[in-house]
Amino acid sequence: MFALFEDAGRFLAGRVMSEADSSVQIELDSGKRVKVKQAHVLLRFEQPQPSQLFAAAQPLAAEIDLDLAWEFAPDDEFGFADLAREYFDAKAGPVEQTAALLRLFEAPHYFRRTGKGRFRKASAETVKAALAAIERKRQQQAQIEQWAQELIEGRCPTPIKDQLYRILFKPDKNALEYKAVVEAARRSHQAPLELLKRAGAIENAYQFHWRRFLFEHFPKGYAFAPVETPPVKDELPLAPQSAFSIDDSSTTEIDDALSVQGLGSGTVVFGVHIAAPGLAISPGSALDAIARTRYSTVYMPGYKITMLPDEVVQAYTLLEGRDCPAVSIYFTVDESTLEIRGSETRLERVRIASNLRHDQLGEVITQDSLAGRAAADYPFAAELAFAFRLAQHLKAQREVVRGKPETFTRPDYSFKLVGNDGREPDGSERVQIDVRRRGEPLDLIVAEAMILANSTWGGWLAELSVPGIYRSQPSLAPGIKVRMSTKPLPHAGMGVKQYTWATSPLRRYVDLVNQWQIIACARHGRMAALAAPFKPKDAELFSIISAFDAAYSAYNDFQHTIERYWTLRYLAQEGLSDLVATVMKDGLVRAESLPLVFRALGAEALPRGARVRVRLTGMDELTLDVHASVVERLPDEAAAAQAPEELEEDSKELQAGPLELAIDVGEEGASEGDNSAPPAAPAG
């Protein structure tokens, strides 16, 4: 005696060895014996053998016309043997009954399972809808097959090209376009990026990185809609002195300028003047909405996406030759001791006498010229000399609070696209990478002036109980990062009691928000908390912090990514195959002459800080991957320990490394078992 039974959703058959009231011992063809509940036994038979039963029943099941079977099936609940007798004949045997069982299980759109071997036929409306869905799925599968074949043959269907970045980075895994790419990648044994590149979906590597960024952050494009530039309506007094700014030649958003009064008198007034869009742009206005959508200017080599429209920027930027509205903070400084005796904030117009440029004066304005050890043949020589002396003093004071000096051991790198002239790059430009040492005099002057203004304004806001957005860092311990909050907490990295961002309101939304609060303080003094746009514990501030943090991090990540692209272009352009690098960890090395971190074969066993010569064996501008191997260990040089700021930069550069896709071409594994027939359909 043989029995057919269901076990864990699959059909099996074997020889009945023994029976009890509630169970049956059955031996399968493999020799394995299983204990089966009586309720799970669906059919008992003498002939044929179990293996022959399925061999004969499966092709017969495929021949059963489901429409005809549905017509023959009783309207009430029925068993599979009942249908076999209706469909075949009254003497339907084990093979026919098993065929009916298999066919019923594989057609849940015609027959609903109600129990072990029991069914009820679906309504005509349900069958019609199910068949339509099956046909739709068949057509979709045909579309997937067609698109996959086109990709394999080197042609990219338009729907896939239009959805390229969604497919690769934010896929809907049920979308036909996604499935077609996965299917083509599996069948052609190609990586998705390589497949799509060969099919013409990717114009070039630069456009790929650029369009991906726009897809994620500017899906509707980055052009500005027409908007009116509001004037500053305040009757502002004109400052008694002129000021000068210090920026790169490419800077159009000139946020800050400096002034120095009273040299030689014993008491010097040092002024920091910040562009004042906050005097014209009001919270909730159209321009506020634009700035709050973007949160920051996006920087990249040869180009940028500004936070505000250019005509708005030009209305408020501190351009030389103009009397510009400004939020100014004046520090009264003892000329000999450099002690700061007090500060005052004013809303005024400031005459901008000159826009000094780093790249034009960096080699001229040196420590020696500022200290009087060399000729100082440049504008504002005396003012710059005092500003540099003050900056050195302020830095030394901060380092006492920090507990150790700031030790940036690596240079900054500047990227220039030759002949670009500010146009949107296409990736074919010639790139120039220059080194600029950190802490150069002009950099130091500007940096210390801004730290002084930001920390002082942060303290003033707190004193007047006016909320602001602060940046804080509890300690310099590894892993302790800078956080943004509404609380005036110490910033260990800066070495100050509190720190805001308020000196770049043309290019950072947080600075604009803080400027509104500072303007309220300048206008209303002790009553500012009642008049400021944002009140204590204002939920809007927390929302701004969260959204700004996300956008600013994403923009910085993109900047690192696109700089890595141009660095790889530079290597190819200059024909560089060997680089001197410093070992980091886990086989990673950092090039000494370029902003590039990559993995080098042979560096895994070397200690951190070891200097090596590496040979580049391959680069991929699309994935941003670099293949290299160590060819020689060089004599080590004494190196200063990395500062927390540099360790954080390490992590950012590593994030800009090889590209990661969200597409998954892995196939699902097939299940294994001792089953002799397809799985049963679920009940219900």
Side-chain angles (χ1 to χ4, degrees):
M1 172 71 70
F2 303 113
L4 169 69
F5 63 96
E6 181 186 340
D7 179 57
R10 298 190 72 84
F11 299 120
L12 300 99
R15 183 183 301 276
V16 176
M17 303 303 294
S18 64
E19 289 194 58
D21 290 341
S22 60
S23 63
V24 183
Q25 282 278 352
I26 298 176
E27 183 181 65
L28 304 177
D29 283 347
S30 63
K32 179 181 178 182
R33 292 191 178 188
V34 294
K35 185 178 181 181
V36 181
K37 291 182 179 180
Q38 287 280 7
H40 291 184
V41 176
L42 303 177
L43 179 65
R44 296 170 186 270
F45 57 97
E46 297 288 347
Q47 293 292 335
Q49 293 289 318
S51 60
Q52 296 171 345
L53 174 72
F54 285 119
Q58 286 173 347
L60 185 59
E63 295 176 5
I64 295 176
D65 186 312
L66 288 172
D67 289 319
L68 189 59
W70 186 83
E71 290 290 344
F72 278 129
D75 292 331
D76 297 327
E77 183 182 304
F78 61 92
F80 66 92
D82 299 327
L83 181 68
R85 287 188 283 269
E86 289 286 344
Y87 188 87
F88 294 106
D89 59 54
K91 297 181 179 180
V95 172
E96 289 79 7
Q97 291 182 37
T98 302
L101 174 65
L102 298 178
R103 191 62 163 155
L104 285 165
F105 263 95
E106 68 184 18
H109 49 295
Y110 279 93
F111 304 100
R112 181 169 59 89
R113 187 181 177 192
T114 59
K116 298 292 183 182
R118 307 292 295 175
F119 302 88
R120 184 185 295 275
K121 71 178 184 179
S123 67
E125 292 77 11
T126 300
V127 171
K128 183 178 179 181
L131 291 176
I134 291 171
E135 174 58 20
R136 184 165 58 252
K137 187 173 182 180
R138 186 196 65 78
Q139 292 176 359
Q140 290 174 344
Q141 188 58 41
Q143 182 67 83
I144 291 170
E145 292 291 332
Q146 178 188 333
W147 284 344
Q149 189 59 37
E150 289 183 37
L151 287 170
I152 292 170
E153 293 173 358
R155 304 188 309 277
C156 185
T158 300
I160 290 178
K161 191 169 185 177
D162 291 343
Q163 294 291 317
L164 176 65
Y165 301 99
R166 185 173 301 282
I167 291 169
L168 292 176
F169 301 107
K170 292 184 178 179
D172 171 4
K173 296 190 176 182
N174 291 317
L176 304 187
E177 295 85 355
Y178 175 86
K179 291 182 177 181
V181 172
V182 170
E183 182 64 21
R186 286 175 178 170
R187 283 165 44 187
S188 65
H189 304 290
Q190 295 182 66
L193 270 184
E194 185 62 26
L195 172 78
L196 291 163
K197 184 179 179 182
R198 289 175 183 270
I202 299 171
E203 183 179 341
N204 61 44
Y206 182 84
Q207 289 299 317
F208 175 76
H209 298 301
W210 172 233
R211 298 297 167 189
R212 174 198 172 190
F213 173 73
L214 294 181
F215 162 75
E216 291 182 346
H217 301 285
F218 295 88
K220 297 180 180 179
Y222 61 88
F224 291 99
V227 65
E228 185 177 343
T229 303
V232 175
K233 296 180 180 179
D234 300 61
E235 291 293 331
L236 301 174
L238 181 64
Q241 81 297 329
S242 59
F244 55 90
S245 67
I246 303 173
D247 294 281
D248 287 324
S249 293
S250 60
T251 301
T252 57
E253 302 152 295
I254 304 175
D255 290 287
D256 54 84
L258 306 175
S259 65
V260 179
Q261 305 172 65
L263 289 174
S265 68
T267 299
V268 174
V269 177
F270 180 67
V272 179
H273 312 279
I274 305 302
L279 290 172
I281 301 171
S282 58
S285 65
L287 279 174
D288 174 36
I290 289 174
R292 189 164 175 176
T293 299
R294 301 195 174 198
Y295 284 102
S296 170
T297 291
V298 183
Y299 292 98
M300 67 203 83
Y303 202 58
K304 63 183 176 183
I305 301 175
T306 57
M307 182 179 76
L308 292 167
D310 186 62
E311 61 270 21
V312 175
V313 171
Q314 294 310 310
Y316 311 126
T317 189
L318 303 182
L319 192 64
E320 68 180 20
R322 296 198 318 202
D323 297 339
C324 299
V327 179
S328 301
I329 182 167
Y330 291 95
F331 297 93
T332 303
V333 184
D334 185 294
E335 190 171 8
S336 59
T337 66
L338 298 178
E339 176 191 357
I340 296 178
R341 296 172 177 169
S343 64
E344 179 187 5
T345 296
R346 301 177 196 163
L347 308 180
E348 60 187 4
R349 288 178 298 125
V350 178
R351 181 73 176 177
I352 305 301
S354 182
N355 295 139
L356 305 180
R357 302 297 184 176
H358 279 290
D359 46 322
Q360 298 172 3
L361 296 171
E363 299 297 323
V364 177
I365 302 177
T366 63
Q367 287 198 27
D368 286 342
S369 67
L370 290 168
R373 296 189 296 269
D377 187 17
Y378 44 77
F380 303 100
E383 290 85 350
L384 286 167
F386 175 82
F388 181 59
R389 193 161 66 91
L390 177 62
Q392 291 176 306
H393 175 73
L394 293 171
K395 183 174 184 288
Q397 285 187 317
R398 290 192 302 103
E399 289 179 341
V400 170
V401 177
R402 289 178 91 250
K404 57 182 177 180
E406 292 176 323
T407 53
F408 284 104
T409 58
R410 297 195 300 271
D412 276 327
Y413 295 92
S414 62
F415 292 76
K416 181 180 179 181
L417 305 187
V418 180
N420 173 256
D421 298 327
R423 292 175 285 103
E424 181 182 310
D426 62 18
S428 65
E429 292 82 0
R430 184 174 181 82
V431 60
Q432 179 180 318
I433 302 179
D434 295 319
V435 176
R436 193 167 94 192
R437 300 297 307 180
R438 302 189 187 194
E440 290 296 304
L442 289 178
D443 288 329
L444 184 66
I445 289 171
V446 174
E448 291 300 328
M450 297 310 113
I451 293 171
L452 178 62
N454 282 321
S455 59
T456 304
W457 271 330
W460 194 39
L461 289 173
E463 179 187 341
L464 297 180
S465 300
V466 174
I469 297 176
Y470 294 85
R471 293 174 65 79
S472 62
Q473 186 179 20
S475 76
L476 292 176
I480 304 298
K481 296 184 178 181
V482 176
R483 304 288 184 188
M484 299 187 74
S485 71
T486 59
K487 296 182 179 180
L489 301 173
H491 193 305
M494 291 286 186
V496 294
K497 292 181 180 179
Q498 66 281 312
Y499 187 69
T500 61
W501 265 351
T503 54
S504 297
L506 292 174
R507 59 187 183 90
R508 283 193 307 236
Y509 187 70
V510 164
D511 298 61
L512 180 59
V513 168
N514 281 330
Q515 186 174 86
W516 283 326
Q517 303 295 86
I518 292 167
I519 288 171
C521 293
R523 285 173 172 167
H524 303 283
R526 291 290 173 185
M527 303 300 291
L530 299 176
F534 300 95
K535 304 300 187 287
K537 298 183 180 180
D538 194 327
E540 200 71 7
L541 282 178
F542 296 102
S543 173
I544 289 168
I545 288 172
S546 176
F548 174 85
D549 234 354
Y552 200 68
S553 295
Y555 297 170
N556 281 336
D557 288 346
F558 170 68
Q559 183 176 354
H560 281 98
T561 294
I562 212 67
E563 286 180 355
R564 186 178 178 93
Y565 164 82
W566 284 115
T567 303
L568 299 193
R569 287 282 297 176
Y570 179 83
L571 289 170
Q573 167 190 296
E574 301 298 320
L576 298 176
S577 58
D578 284 20
L579 293 174
V580 174
T582 304
V583 174
M584 297 172 66
K585 61 178 182 178
D586 301 328
L588 293 168
V589 300
R590 174 191 299 283
E592 290 189 357
S593 58
L594 289 171
L596 185 63
V597 172
F598 54 97
R599 197 171 301 279
L601 191 64
E604 302 87 350
L606 295 176
R608 190 182 186 110
R611 296 179 70 244
V612 292
R613 186 180 306 280
V614 297
R615 180 151 300 149
L616 306 181
T617 56
M619 295 182 297
D620 191 326
E621 293 175 2
L622 202 58
T623 64
L624 299 177
D625 208 355
V626 175
H627 303 283
S629 57
V630 174
V631 295
E632 178 186 5
R633 181 169 179 179
L634 302 174
D636 295 341
E637 295 179 354
Q642 284 185 293
E645 295 88 346
E646 291 183 325
L647 292 173
E648 187 171 341
E649 286 183 5
D650 285 350
S651 66
K652 290 178 181 178
E653 290 184 27
L654 293 177
Q655 290 170 10
L659 193 66
E660 292 186 6
L661 305 180
I663 190 169
D664 181 11
V665 298
E667 296 186 11
E668 296 180 0
S671 60
E672 298 179 358
D674 186 25
N675 301 304
S676 303

